[in-house]
Amino acid sequence: MAITLNNGFTMPIIGLGVWRMEKKAIKDLILDSIKIGFRHFDCASDYKNEAEVGEALSEAIESGLVKREDLFITTKASFKKTILTFSCSFYLWNTDHGHVLEACKHSLKKLRLDYLDLYLVHFPVSIRHTGIGATGSPLDEDGVLDIETNISLETTWHAMEDLVSRGLVRSIGISNYDIFLTRDCLAYSKIKPAVNQIETHPYFQRESLVKFCQKHGICVTAHTPLGGAEANAKRFGTVSCLDDPILKGIAEKYKKTVAQIVLRWGIQRNSVVIPKTSKLERLQENFKVLEFELSKEDMDLIKTVDKNYRTNIQPAKFWGIDLYA
């Protein structure tokens, strides 16, 4: 099951995110996920496990387990100049906004790939460059994120477009952009963003942003489709939607886990979901969300649990500044 992007390429509607995955476990995790049926992998330079992901993908391709053209790899470039993409998706890190080409090539080398399926701008902010492949978040003397003011998002985007022209990347997109920044990107872009990857889940539905993106041909990907669950509860002290009594009731009705209900809800919103797990049984459960469908009545019921509640990526905790203010 896949979504056709605005440039004609298709993107599997469910993928596996590798954020916070232990390096030693990634190889088996990716090989197991491919055997289950996953073809979409979401990576980022900032995750600091590109080399391990690349090793696993290389083995899968060389052994004949899967063909490269059947994979979708995404990576992100942080405005620190970092980029990765598979289905594989990849991201440009925040320190590399002024070094987009070099960051992309660096990621491709680590991933052992000739091209990325999707490359995303990780955050709409450029910070002090600390070297290609270095994905830290340098702070200034006041302990606040050291933001650069001489590189615009428009400049970064045009550098992203150049990657497409060079054949290094098939699709480019944005991540953590609100409606206003997305609108601006549409206005100055020659190549429209194919994807906006955002936090969205039943407790943070962001209906206005989702509808705006879809209206303008931008695919929405949910990078925290389960609300972060235990991991974010420990990291940020947040509450998980997986404990919600209404969602639990729906899960009982369908004889599914709450996580499966939440992922299926995301898919039926016509968004891509990239849940993270390191457990084989959860991988299998997650992929089985393609085997059932929620009724309109239950989709409408899930709308009622929205709390406008962000559980992930709370910059003020680490960067001394609230980028969402």
Side-chain angles (χ1 to χ4, degrees), residues 119-142:
Y119 194 39
L120 304 175
V121 176
H122 206 149
F123 281 97
V125 63
S126 177
I127 63 179
R128 175 164 50 86
H129 184 55
T130 54
I132 300 299
T135 58
S137 299
L139 307 180
D140 62 20
E141 60 274 13
D142 297 318

mmCIF file with all atom_site columns, all heavy atoms in Angstrom, residues 119-142:
data_model
loop_
_atom_site.group_PDB
_atom_site.id
_atom_site.type_symbol
_atom_site.label_atom_id
_atom_site.label_alt_id
_atom_site.label_comp_id
_atom_site.label_asym_id
_atom_site.label_entity_id
_atom_site.label_seq_id
_atom_site.pdbx_PDB_ins_code
_atom_site.Cartn_x
_atom_site.Cartn_y
_atom_site.Cartn_z
_atom_site.occupancy
_atom_site.B_iso_or_equiv
_atom_site.pdbx_formal_charge
_atom_site.auth_seq_id
_atom_site.auth_comp_id
_atom_site.auth_asym_id
_atom_site.auth_atom_id
_atom_site.pdbx_PDB_model_num
ATOM 1   N N   . TYR A 1 119 ? 14.768 13.149 0.713  1.00 0.00 ? 119 TYR A N   1
ATOM 2   C CA  . TYR A 1 119 ? 15.683 13.902 1.564  1.00 0.00 ? 119 TYR A CA  1
ATOM 3   C C   . TYR A 1 119 ? 14.912 15.073 2.147  1.00 0.00 ? 119 TYR A C   1
ATOM 4   O O   . TYR A 1 119 ? 14.293 15.843 1.430  1.00 0.00 ? 119 TYR A O   1
ATOM 5   C CB  . TYR A 1 119 ? 16.865 14.377 0.738  1.00 0.00 ? 119 TYR A CB  1
ATOM 6   C CG  . TYR A 1 119 ? 18.027 14.873 1.550  1.00 0.00 ? 119 TYR A CG  1
ATOM 7   C CD1 . TYR A 1 119 ? 18.409 14.254 2.717  1.00 0.00 ? 119 TYR A CD1 1
ATOM 8   C CD2 . TYR A 1 119 ? 18.752 15.985 1.130  1.00 0.00 ? 119 TYR A CD2 1
ATOM 9   C CE1 . TYR A 1 119 ? 19.481 14.724 3.456  1.00 0.00 ? 119 TYR A CE1 1
ATOM 10  C CE2 . TYR A 1 119 ? 19.825 16.444 1.850  1.00 0.00 ? 119 TYR A CE2 1
ATOM 11  C CZ  . TYR A 1 119 ? 20.185 15.817 3.013  1.00 0.00 ? 119 TYR A CZ  1
ATOM 12  O OH  . TYR A 1 119 ? 21.259 16.289 3.740  1.00 0.00 ? 119 TYR A OH  1
ATOM 13  N N   . LEU A 1 120 ? 14.944 15.196 3.470  1.00 0.00 ? 120 LEU A N   1
ATOM 14  C CA  . LEU A 1 120 ? 14.135 16.204 4.160  1.00 0.00 ? 120 LEU A CA  1
ATOM 15  C C   . LEU A 1 120 ? 14.996 17.219 4.893  1.00 0.00 ? 120 LEU A C   1
ATOM 16  O O   . LEU A 1 120 ? 16.044 16.876 5.437  1.00 0.00 ? 120 LEU A O   1
ATOM 17  C CB  . LEU A 1 120 ? 13.218 15.531 5.192  1.00 0.00 ? 120 LEU A CB  1
ATOM 18  C CG  . LEU A 1 120 ? 12.268 14.437 4.702  1.00 0.00 ? 120 LEU A CG  1
ATOM 19  C CD1 . LEU A 1 120 ? 11.543 13.814 5.889  1.00 0.00 ? 120 LEU A CD1 1
ATOM 20  C CD2 . LEU A 1 120 ? 11.268 14.995 3.706  1.00 0.00 ? 120 LEU A CD2 1
ATOM 21  N N   . VAL A 1 121 ? 14.532 18.454 4.948  1.00 0.00 ? 121 VAL A N   1
ATOM 22  C CA  . VAL A 1 121 ? 15.094 19.456 5.841  1.00 0.00 ? 121 VAL A CA  1
ATOM 23  C C   . VAL A 1 121 ? 14.567 19.119 7.234  1.00 0.00 ? 121 VAL A C   1
ATOM 24  O O   . VAL A 1 121 ? 13.362 19.165 7.473  1.00 0.00 ? 121 VAL A O   1
ATOM 25  C CB  . VAL A 1 121 ? 14.660 20.872 5.431  1.00 0.00 ? 121 VAL A CB  1
ATOM 26  C CG1 . VAL A 1 121 ? 15.191 21.884 6.448  1.00 0.00 ? 121 VAL A CG1 1
ATOM 27  C CG2 . VAL A 1 121 ? 15.164 21.211 4.034  1.00 0.00 ? 121 VAL A CG2 1
ATOM 28  N N   . HIS A 1 122 ? 15.451 18.786 8.166  1.00 0.00 ? 122 HIS A N   1
ATOM 29  C CA  . HIS A 1 122 ? 15.027 18.221 9.448  1.00 0.00 ? 122 HIS A CA  1
ATOM 30  C C   . HIS A 1 122 ? 14.234 19.221 10.294 1.00 0.00 ? 122 HIS A C   1
ATOM 31  O O   . HIS A 1 122 ? 13.186 18.889 10.841 1.00 0.00 ? 122 HIS A O   1
ATOM 32  C CB  . HIS A 1 122 ? 16.255 17.742 10.224 1.00 0.00 ? 122 HIS A CB  1
ATOM 33  C CG  . HIS A 1 122 ? 15.969 16.648 11.199 1.00 0.00 ? 122 HIS A CG  1
ATOM 34  N ND1 . HIS A 1 122 ? 16.881 15.680 11.530 1.00 0.00 ? 122 HIS A ND1 1
ATOM 35  C CD2 . HIS A 1 122 ? 14.865 16.356 11.917 1.00 0.00 ? 122 HIS A CD2 1
ATOM 36  C CE1 . HIS A 1 122 ? 16.350 14.844 12.413 1.00 0.00 ? 122 HIS A CE1 1
ATOM 37  N NE2 . HIS A 1 122 ? 15.135 15.241 12.662 1.00 0.00 ? 122 HIS A NE2 1
ATOM 38  N N   . PHE A 1 123 ? 14.763 20.428 10.421 1.00 0.00 ? 123 PHE A N   1
ATOM 39  C CA  . PHE A 1 123 ? 14.080 21.492 11.167 1.00 0.00 ? 123 PHE A CA  1
ATOM 40  C C   . PHE A 1 123 ? 14.198 22.797 10.380 1.00 0.00 ? 123 PHE A C   1
ATOM 41  O O   . PHE A 1 123 ? 15.211 23.031 9.705  1.00 0.00 ? 123 PHE A O   1
ATOM 42  C CB  . PHE A 1 123 ? 14.731 21.719 12.536 1.00 0.00 ? 123 PHE A CB  1
ATOM 43  C CG  . PHE A 1 123 ? 14.352 20.734 13.596 1.00 0.00 ? 123 PHE A CG  1
ATOM 44  C CD1 . PHE A 1 123 ? 15.178 19.654 13.873 1.00 0.00 ? 123 PHE A CD1 1
ATOM 45  C CD2 . PHE A 1 123 ? 13.181 20.877 14.321 1.00 0.00 ? 123 PHE A CD2 1
ATOM 46  C CE1 . PHE A 1 123 ? 14.849 18.740 14.852 1.00 0.00 ? 123 PHE A CE1 1
ATOM 47  C CE2 . PHE A 1 123 ? 12.833 19.965 15.303 1.00 0.00 ? 123 PHE A CE2 1
ATOM 48  C CZ  . PHE A 1 123 ? 13.672 18.890 15.580 1.00 0.00 ? 123 PHE A CZ  1
ATOM 49  N N   . PRO A 1 124 ? 13.228 23.677 10.478 1.00 0.00 ? 124 PRO A N   1
ATOM 50  C CA  . PRO A 1 124 ? 13.304 24.964 9.781  1.00 0.00 ? 124 PRO A CA  1
ATOM 51  C C   . PRO A 1 124 ? 14.161 25.972 10.534 1.00 0.00 ? 124 PRO A C   1
ATOM 52  O O   . PRO A 1 124 ? 13.724 27.069 10.878 1.00 0.00 ? 124 PRO A O   1
ATOM 53  C CB  . PRO A 1 124 ? 11.832 25.405 9.720  1.00 0.00 ? 124 PRO A CB  1
ATOM 54  C CG  . PRO A 1 124 ? 11.219 24.806 10.940 1.00 0.00 ? 124 PRO A CG  1
ATOM 55  C CD  . PRO A 1 124 ? 11.913 23.486 11.139 1.00 0.00 ? 124 PRO A CD  1
ATOM 56  N N   . VAL A 1 125 ? 15.406 25.580 10.785 1.00 0.00 ? 125 VAL A N   1
ATOM 57  C CA  . VAL A 1 125 ? 16.331 26.483 11.470 1.00 0.00 ? 125 VAL A CA  1
ATOM 58  C C   . VAL A 1 125 ? 17.756 26.104 11.106 1.00 0.00 ? 125 VAL A C   1
ATOM 59  O O   . VAL A 1 125 ? 18.099 24.918 11.024 1.00 0.00 ? 125 VAL A O   1
ATOM 60  C CB  . VAL A 1 125 ? 16.138 26.427 13.004 1.00 0.00 ? 125 VAL A CB  1
ATOM 61  C CG1 . VAL A 1 125 ? 16.447 25.050 13.560 1.00 0.00 ? 125 VAL A CG1 1
ATOM 62  C CG2 . VAL A 1 125 ? 16.995 27.481 13.699 1.00 0.00 ? 125 VAL A CG2 1
ATOM 63  N N   . SER A 1 126 ? 18.579 27.100 10.841 1.00 0.00 ? 126 SER A N   1
ATOM 64  C CA  . SER A 1 126 ? 19.994 26.874 10.546 1.00 0.00 ? 126 SER A CA  1
ATOM 65  C C   . SER A 1 126 ? 20.815 27.291 11.760 1.00 0.00 ? 126 SER A C   1
ATOM 66  O O   . SER A 1 126 ? 20.629 28.383 12.299 1.00 0.00 ? 126 SER A O   1
ATOM 67  C CB  . SER A 1 126 ? 20.419 27.708 9.326  1.00 0.00 ? 126 SER A CB  1
ATOM 68  O OG  . SER A 1 126 ? 21.803 27.551 9.080  1.00 0.00 ? 126 SER A OG  1
ATOM 69  N N   . ILE A 1 127 ? 21.711 26.406 12.187 1.00 0.00 ? 127 ILE A N   1
ATOM 70  C CA  . ILE A 1 127 ? 22.556 26.727 13.339 1.00 0.00 ? 127 ILE A CA  1
ATOM 71  C C   . ILE A 1 127 ? 24.028 26.608 12.957 1.00 0.00 ? 127 ILE A C   1
ATOM 72  O O   . ILE A 1 127 ? 24.366 26.127 11.886 1.00 0.00 ? 127 ILE A O   1
ATOM 73  C CB  . ILE A 1 127 ? 22.219 25.831 14.550 1.00 0.00 ? 127 ILE A CB  1
ATOM 74  C CG1 . ILE A 1 127 ? 22.493 24.353 14.241 1.00 0.00 ? 127 ILE A CG1 1
ATOM 75  C CG2 . ILE A 1 127 ? 20.768 26.015 14.943 1.00 0.00 ? 127 ILE A CG2 1
ATOM 76  C CD1 . ILE A 1 127 ? 22.198 23.419 15.411 1.00 0.00 ? 127 ILE A CD1 1
ATOM 77  N N   . ARG A 1 128 ? 24.877 27.067 13.857 1.00 0.00 ? 128 ARG A N   1
ATOM 78  C CA  . ARG A 1 128 ? 26.313 27.151 13.564 1.00 0.00 ? 128 ARG A CA  1
ATOM 79  C C   . ARG A 1 128 ? 26.878 25.828 13.059 1.00 0.00 ? 128 ARG A C   1
ATOM 80  O O   . ARG A 1 128 ? 26.705 24.778 13.662 1.00 0.00 ? 128 ARG A O   1
ATOM 81  C CB  . ARG A 1 128 ? 27.078 27.609 14.809 1.00 0.00 ? 128 ARG A CB  1
ATOM 82  C CG  . ARG A 1 128 ? 28.598 27.610 14.654 1.00 0.00 ? 128 ARG A CG  1
ATOM 83  C CD  . ARG A 1 128 ? 29.266 28.428 15.742 1.00 0.00 ? 128 ARG A CD  1
ATOM 84  N NE  . ARG A 1 128 ? 28.799 28.078 17.068 1.00 0.00 ? 128 ARG A NE  1
ATOM 85  C CZ  . ARG A 1 128 ? 29.321 27.080 17.809 1.00 0.00 ? 128 ARG A CZ  1
ATOM 86  N NH1 . ARG A 1 128 ? 30.296 26.327 17.327 1.00 0.00 ? 128 ARG A NH1 1
ATOM 87  N NH2 . ARG A 1 128 ? 28.865 26.857 19.029 1.00 0.00 ? 128 ARG A NH2 1
ATOM 88  N N   . HIS A 1 129 ? 27.561 25.899 11.918 1.00 0.00 ? 129 HIS A N   1
ATOM 89  C CA  . HIS A 1 129 ? 28.143 24.707 11.298 1.00 0.00 ? 129 HIS A CA  1
ATOM 90  C C   . HIS A 1 129 ? 29.302 24.183 12.143 1.00 0.00 ? 129 HIS A C   1
ATOM 91  O O   . HIS A 1 129 ? 30.153 24.939 12.586 1.00 0.00 ? 129 HIS A O   1
ATOM 92  C CB  . HIS A 1 129 ? 28.650 25.056 9.901  1.00 0.00 ? 129 HIS A CB  1
ATOM 93  C CG  . HIS A 1 129 ? 29.192 23.884 9.142  1.00 0.00 ? 129 HIS A CG  1
ATOM 94  N ND1 . HIS A 1 129 ? 28.463 22.738 8.918  1.00 0.00 ? 129 HIS A ND1 1
ATOM 95  C CD2 . HIS A 1 129 ? 30.403 23.683 8.559  1.00 0.00 ? 129 HIS A CD2 1
ATOM 96  C CE1 . HIS A 1 129 ? 29.194 21.878 8.222  1.00 0.00 ? 129 HIS A CE1 1
ATOM 97  N NE2 . HIS A 1 129 ? 30.369 22.434 8.004  1.00 0.00 ? 129 HIS A NE2 1
ATOM 98  N N   . THR A 1 130 ? 29.309 22.869 12.355 1.00 0.00 ? 130 THR A N   1
ATOM 99  C CA  . THR A 1 130 ? 30.345 22.253 13.186 1.00 0.00 ? 130 THR A CA  1
ATOM 100 C C   . THR A 1 130 ? 31.105 21.160 12.453 1.00 0.00 ? 130 THR A C   1
ATOM 101 O O   . THR A 1 130 ? 31.819 20.380 13.064 1.00 0.00 ? 130 THR A O   1
ATOM 102 C CB  . THR A 1 130 ? 29.725 21.660 14.466 1.00 0.00 ? 130 THR A CB  1
ATOM 103 O OG1 . THR A 1 130 ? 28.651 20.773 14.115 1.00 0.00 ? 130 THR A OG1 1
ATOM 104 C CG2 . THR A 1 130 ? 29.189 22.771 15.372 1.00 0.00 ? 130 THR A CG2 1
ATOM 105 N N   . GLY A 1 131 ? 30.931 21.111 11.118 1.00 0.00 ? 131 GLY A N   1
ATOM 106 C CA  . GLY A 1 131 ? 31.617 20.106 10.322 1.00 0.00 ? 131 GLY A CA  1
ATOM 107 C C   . GLY A 1 131 ? 30.631 19.129 9.700  1.00 0.00 ? 131 GLY A C   1
ATOM 108 O O   . GLY A 1 131 ? 29.631 18.766 10.310 1.00 0.00 ? 131 GLY A O   1
ATOM 109 N N   . ILE A 1 132 ? 30.941 18.696 8.470  1.00 0.00 ? 132 ILE A N   1
ATOM 110 C CA  . ILE A 1 132 ? 30.065 17.754 7.775  1.00 0.00 ? 132 ILE A CA  1
ATOM 111 C C   . ILE A 1 132 ? 29.985 16.452 8.561  1.00 0.00 ? 132 ILE A C   1
ATOM 112 O O   . ILE A 1 132 ? 30.997 15.874 8.947  1.00 0.00 ? 132 ILE A O   1
ATOM 113 C CB  . ILE A 1 132 ? 30.597 17.464 6.352  1.00 0.00 ? 132 ILE A CB  1
ATOM 114 C CG1 . ILE A 1 132 ? 30.654 18.758 5.539  1.00 0.00 ? 132 ILE A CG1 1
ATOM 115 C CG2 . ILE A 1 132 ? 29.712 16.431 5.657  1.00 0.00 ? 132 ILE A CG2 1
ATOM 116 C CD1 . ILE A 1 132 ? 29.316 19.433 5.353  1.00 0.00 ? 132 ILE A CD1 1
ATOM 117 N N   . GLY A 1 133 ? 28.774 16.003 8.783  1.00 0.00 ? 133 GLY A N   1
ATOM 118 C CA  . GLY A 1 133 ? 28.587 14.752 9.516  1.00 0.00 ? 133 GLY A CA  1
ATOM 119 C C   . GLY A 1 133 ? 28.511 14.930 11.014 1.00 0.00 ? 133 GLY A C   1
ATOM 120 O O   . GLY A 1 133 ? 28.126 14.014 11.735 1.00 0.00 ? 133 GLY A O   1
ATOM 121 N N   . ALA A 1 134 ? 28.879 16.118 11.498 1.00 0.00 ? 134 ALA A N   1
ATOM 122 C CA  . ALA A 1 134 ? 28.753 16.402 12.936 1.00 0.00 ? 134 ALA A CA  1
ATOM 123 C C   . ALA A 1 134 ? 27.334 16.900 13.169 1.00 0.00 ? 134 ALA A C   1
ATOM 124 O O   . ALA A 1 134 ? 26.912 17.876 12.556 1.00 0.00 ? 134 ALA A O   1
ATOM 125 C CB  . ALA A 1 134 ? 29.770 17.456 13.361 1.00 0.00 ? 134 ALA A CB  1
ATOM 126 N N   . THR A 1 135 ? 26.601 16.240 14.025 1.00 0.00 ? 135 THR A N   1
ATOM 127 C CA  . THR A 1 135 ? 25.174 16.570 14.148 1.00 0.00 ? 135 THR A CA  1
ATOM 128 C C   . THR A 1 135 ? 24.813 17.065 15.540 1.00 0.00 ? 135 THR A C   1
ATOM 129 O O   . THR A 1 135 ? 23.715 16.820 16.028 1.00 0.00 ? 135 THR A O   1
ATOM 130 C CB  . THR A 1 135 ? 24.308 15.344 13.799 1.00 0.00 ? 135 THR A CB  1
ATOM 131 O OG1 . THR A 1 135 ? 24.672 14.265 14.681 1.00 0.00 ? 135 THR A OG1 1
ATOM 132 C CG2 . THR A 1 135 ? 24.510 14.915 12.374 1.00 0.00 ? 135 THR A CG2 1
ATOM 133 N N   . GLY A 1 136 ? 25.734 17.770 16.155 1.00 0.00 ? 136 GLY A N   1
ATOM 134 C CA  . GLY A 1 136 ? 25.420 18.323 17.463 1.00 0.00 ? 136 GLY A CA  1
ATOM 135 C C   . GLY A 1 136 ? 24.527 19.541 17.346 1.00 0.00 ? 136 GLY A C   1
ATOM 136 O O   . GLY A 1 136 ? 24.134 19.951 16.261 1.00 0.00 ? 136 GLY A O   1
ATOM 137 N N   . SER A 1 137 ? 24.225 20.130 18.471 1.00 0.00 ? 137 SER A N   1
ATOM 138 C CA  . SER A 1 137 ? 23.411 21.343 18.513 1.00 0.00 ? 137 SER A CA  1
ATOM 139 C C   . SER A 1 137 ? 24.155 22.370 19.353 1.00 0.00 ? 137 SER A C   1
ATOM 140 O O   . SER A 1 137 ? 23.909 22.508 20.558 1.00 0.00 ? 137 SER A O   1
ATOM 141 C CB  . SER A 1 137 ? 22.031 21.039 19.115 1.00 0.00 ? 137 SER A CB  1
ATOM 142 O OG  . SER A 1 137 ? 21.336 20.097 18.324 1.00 0.00 ? 137 SER A OG  1
ATOM 143 N N   . PRO A 1 138 ? 25.110 23.079 18.730 1.00 0.00 ? 138 PRO A N   1
ATOM 144 C CA  . PRO A 1 138 ? 25.933 24.025 19.488 1.00 0.00 ? 138 PRO A CA  1
ATOM 145 C C   . PRO A 1 138 ? 25.115 25.137 20.129 1.00 0.00 ? 138 PRO A C   1
ATOM 146 O O   . PRO A 1 138 ? 24.195 25.688 19.524 1.00 0.00 ? 138 PRO A O   1
ATOM 147 C CB  . PRO A 1 138 ? 26.890 24.578 18.423 1.00 0.00 ? 138 PRO A CB  1
ATOM 148 C CG  . PRO A 1 138 ? 26.191 24.367 17.124 1.00 0.00 ? 138 PRO A CG  1
ATOM 149 C CD  . PRO A 1 138 ? 25.423 23.098 17.287 1.00 0.00 ? 138 PRO A CD  1
ATOM 150 N N   . LEU A 1 139 ? 25.475 25.443 21.379 1.00 0.00 ? 139 LEU A N   1
ATOM 151 C CA  . LEU A 1 139 ? 24.808 26.514 22.120 1.00 0.00 ? 139 LEU A CA  1
ATOM 152 C C   . LEU A 1 139 ? 25.726 27.726 22.207 1.00 0.00 ? 139 LEU A C   1
ATOM 153 O O   . LEU A 1 139 ? 26.961 27.603 22.135 1.00 0.00 ? 139 LEU A O   1
ATOM 154 C CB  . LEU A 1 139 ? 24.452 26.027 23.527 1.00 0.00 ? 139 LEU A CB  1
ATOM 155 C CG  . LEU A 1 139 ? 23.642 24.723 23.623 1.00 0.00 ? 139 LEU A CG  1
ATOM 156 C CD1 . LEU A 1 139 ? 23.379 24.383 25.091 1.00 0.00 ? 139 LEU A CD1 1
ATOM 157 C CD2 . LEU A 1 139 ? 22.340 24.816 22.849 1.00 0.00 ? 139 LEU A CD2 1
ATOM 158 N N   . ASP A 1 140 ? 25.152 28.910 22.360 1.00 0.00 ? 140 ASP A N   1
ATOM 159 C CA  . ASP A 1 140 ? 25.970 30.107 22.510 1.00 0.00 ? 140 ASP A CA  1
ATOM 160 C C   . ASP A 1 140 ? 26.371 30.285 23.976 1.00 0.00 ? 140 ASP A C   1
ATOM 161 O O   . ASP A 1 140 ? 26.113 29.416 24.816 1.00 0.00 ? 140 ASP A O   1
ATOM 162 C CB  . ASP A 1 140 ? 25.233 31.347 21.973 1.00 0.00 ? 140 ASP A CB  1
ATOM 163 C CG  . ASP A 1 140 ? 23.940 31.641 22.730 1.00 0.00 ? 140 ASP A CG  1
ATOM 164 O OD1 . ASP A 1 140 ? 23.783 31.157 23.881 1.00 0.00 ? 140 ASP A OD1 1
ATOM 165 O OD2 . ASP A 1 140 ? 23.089 32.371 22.190 1.00 0.00 ? 140 ASP A OD2 1
ATOM 166 N N   . GLU A 1 141 ? 26.996 31.410 24.285 1.00 0.00 ? 141 GLU A N   1
ATOM 167 C CA  . GLU A 1 141 ? 27.510 31.624 25.636 1.00 0.00 ? 141 GLU A CA  1
ATOM 168 C C   . GLU A 1 141 ? 26.396 31.709 26.692 1.00 0.00 ? 141 GLU A C   1
ATOM 169 O O   . GLU A 1 141 ? 26.650 31.553 27.890 1.00 0.00 ? 141 GLU A O   1
ATOM 170 C CB  . GLU A 1 141 ? 28.372 32.892 25.687 1.00 0.00 ? 141 GLU A CB  1
ATOM 171 C CG  . GLU A 1 141 ? 27.664 34.172 25.317 1.00 0.00 ? 141 GLU A CG  1
ATOM 172 C CD  . GLU A 1 141 ? 27.659 34.446 23.822 1.00 0.00 ? 141 GLU A CD  1
ATOM 173 O OE1 . GLU A 1 141 ? 27.990 33.516 23.042 1.00 0.00 ? 141 GLU A OE1 1
ATOM 174 O OE2 . GLU A 1 141 ? 27.330 35.586 23.426 1.00 0.00 ? 141 GLU A OE2 1
ATOM 175 N N   . ASP A 1 142 ? 25.181 31.931 26.226 1.00 0.00 ? 142 ASP A N   1
ATOM 176 C CA  . ASP A 1 142 ? 24.044 31.994 27.153 1.00 0.00 ? 142 ASP A CA  1
ATOM 177 C C   . ASP A 1 142 ? 23.324 30.661 27.292 1.00 0.00 ? 142 ASP A C   1
ATOM 178 O O   . ASP A 1 142 ? 22.283 30.576 27.952 1.00 0.00 ? 142 ASP A O   1
ATOM 179 C CB  . ASP A 1 142 ? 23.044 33.057 26.683 1.00 0.00 ? 142 ASP A CB  1
ATOM 180 C CG  . ASP A 1 142 ? 23.648 34.460 26.686 1.00 0.00 ? 142 ASP A CG  1
ATOM 181 O OD1 . ASP A 1 142 ? 24.361 34.768 27.661 1.00 0.00 ? 142 ASP A OD1 1
ATOM 182 O OD2 . ASP A 1 142 ? 23.411 35.218 25.736 1.00 0.00 ? 142 ASP A OD2 1
#
